Amino acid sequence: MSTKKISRRQLLKSSGLRLRDTRSVDPSLWLMNSMPSLLVREQAILINLGSLRAIAMYERVLIFNYNSSQGGKAFLELLLPRLNPRNINGGPSMPFQLEVVEAALLSRILRLEQRLMKIEPSVAALLEVLPNRLTADVLEQLRLSKQALVELGSRAGDLKQMLIDLLEDPHEIRRICIMGRNCTLDRLDDHMECSVPLDKQIAEEEEEEIEMLLENYLQRCESCHGQAERLLDSAREMEDSIAVNLSSRRLEVSRVELLLQVGTFCVAVGASVAGLFAAPLLE
């Protein structure tokens, strides 16, 4: 591991990328590239998962703004143990770029799941006390919880769509498999050709492994997104119930006000009649 500052020209030269390729991971363009993405190029994979912006190559990975990136730190905490030969336990290890992709997806999914586990108990507690306890503090907590669920559901939904698009594009998956190997893909039928037959066999096995890996994280992402949506629907239903409750109370208050106005009018009429009959006597 090392930290360094490099120019765009040096970055493009070392990674074999074009300038337009780096737009998806450029931290200075975070307003334009906020959607999660995983772009495969000939020599690199560009990863944009929120606060994690990285370029994975055959034997190294470049992480942008590591010191100020929570996603970058969580990513490295998962990646480094996977690269330790002592943790492999004699089993076959995946190519480096696949380890990077899996660690990136896992770190993102774990952060979404942890945030959901933190929000879910507070929302459940609010739903138990409402609508019987309508105080300003409780309503503010409901608003903040609803806002957090909207944000969580949006992030999980965007990640889910990215994984779906990637699974539906076998060409991108095969480009990941042939990275670092003497293999090419036919532009017409997407057929894989390798100079070494063993490389082709390994690449085909990795293709199935990548599909299974992406499918696994897609299921976890769908579960997180679905639970966030269910909690959000419950919060919205509670808001509707509170609105109906408040409307009922306003109607009760309006009814009391109307009765008071009628009573005041009756007293005023009685006083006026008494005043008319009392006037001749005073004269």
Side-chain angles (χ1 to χ4, degrees):
M1 293 177 55
S2 62
T3 303
K4 61 176 67 177
K5 292 184 178 181
I6 60 175
S7 64
R8 292 180 185 271
R9 186 180 300 274
Q10 292 173 331
L11 174 63
L12 298 177
K13 185 177 180 180
S14 63
S15 61
L17 297 171
R18 297 180 181 180
L19 184 60
R20 64 173 178 268
D21 294 331
T22 61
R23 293 178 181 175
S24 64
V25 293
D26 191 342
S28 63
L29 303 176
W30 65 274
L31 287 175
M32 300 174 58
N33 57 18
S34 59
M35 294 292 292
S37 62
L38 198 152
L39 305 179
V40 184
R41 297 297 181 259
E42 185 176 353
Q43 302 180 28
I45 302 175
L46 297 98
I47 301 171
N48 176 1
L49 296 178
S51 58
L52 172 63
R53 311 290 176 95
I55 300 178
M57 289 172 278
Y58 182 62
E59 294 180 341
R60 60 177 175 155
V61 57
L62 304 178
I63 306 172
F64 293 89
N65 295 342
Y66 163 72
N67 292 330
S68 59
S69 170
Q70 181 181 2
K73 294 179 180 179
F75 162 68
L76 276 183
E77 289 177 357
L78 288 172
L79 177 63
L80 294 180
R82 301 171 67 92
L83 302 179
N84 189 345
R86 297 179 181 178
N87 297 333
I88 299 177
N89 295 325
S93 60
M94 293 192 299
F96 177 77
Q97 67 271 17
L98 295 186
E99 294 283 4
V100 170
V101 171
E102 183 170 11
L105 292 175
L106 180 59
S107 65
R108 184 60 173 171
I109 292 292
L110 284 177
R111 281 187 290 149
L112 292 176
E113 291 175 343
Q114 290 170 359
R115 191 164 186 182
L116 178 62
M117 292 174 63
K118 183 178 179 181
I119 297 174
E120 188 172 4
S122 61
V123 174
L126 287 173
L127 295 179
E128 288 182 1
V129 300
L130 288 171
N132 298 324
R133 183 183 171 189
L134 292 178
T135 64
D137 292 339
V138 173
L139 293 177
E140 179 63 14
Q141 292 177 16
L142 179 62
R143 186 188 69 82
L144 294 176
S145 298
K146 181 182 173 182
Q147 183 179 353
L149 287 172
V150 169
E151 182 181 359
L152 177 61
S154 176
R155 292 183 178 181
D158 292 340
L159 182 60
K160 180 181 75 171
Q161 189 60 49
M162 185 205 78
L163 293 172
I164 291 174
D165 294 340
L166 193 58
L167 279 169
E168 293 178 349
D169 190 354
H171 178 73
E172 291 294 288
I173 297 178
R174 289 179 181 176
R175 291 180 68 183
I176 298 176
C177 297
I178 66 174
M179 188 176 297
R181 296 190 172 96
N182 293 324
C183 301
T184 57
L185 291 177
D186 191 287
R187 294 183 177 180
L188 297 178
D189 58 4
D190 210 27
H191 182 68
M192 185 187 305
E193 292 292 341
C194 300
S195 58
V196 180
L198 182 60
D199 283 348
K200 182 177 181 180
Q201 179 182 352
I202 296 175
E204 290 175 349
E205 293 175 356
E206 287 179 357
E207 182 179 355
E208 296 179 0
E209 189 172 355
I210 292 175
E211 291 179 352
M212 294 176 61
L213 180 148
L214 295 176
E215 186 67 34
N216 173 52
Y217 290 119
L218 175 60
Q219 291 178 2
R220 293 178 63 173
C221 189
E222 286 179 337
S223 176
C224 183
H225 179 256
Q227 183 63 13
E229 289 294 322
R230 284 189 290 271
L231 290 174
L232 183 59
D233 290 340
S234 299
R236 286 172 175 167
E237 290 176 0
M238 181 56 65
E239 277 191 336
D240 294 339
S241 176
I242 292 173
V244 172
N245 194 358
L246 292 177
S247 298
S248 177
R249 293 188 181 185
R250 281 194 293 268
L251 290 175
E252 289 294 329
V253 172
S254 299
R255 181 170 175 272
V256 172
E257 289 179 350
L258 180 61
L259 291 176
L260 290 175
Q261 291 175 0
V262 172
T264 303
F265 176 75
C266 293
V267 171
V269 170
S272 299
V273 172
L276 289 175
F277 284 105
L281 297 176
L282 293 176
E283 294 179 356

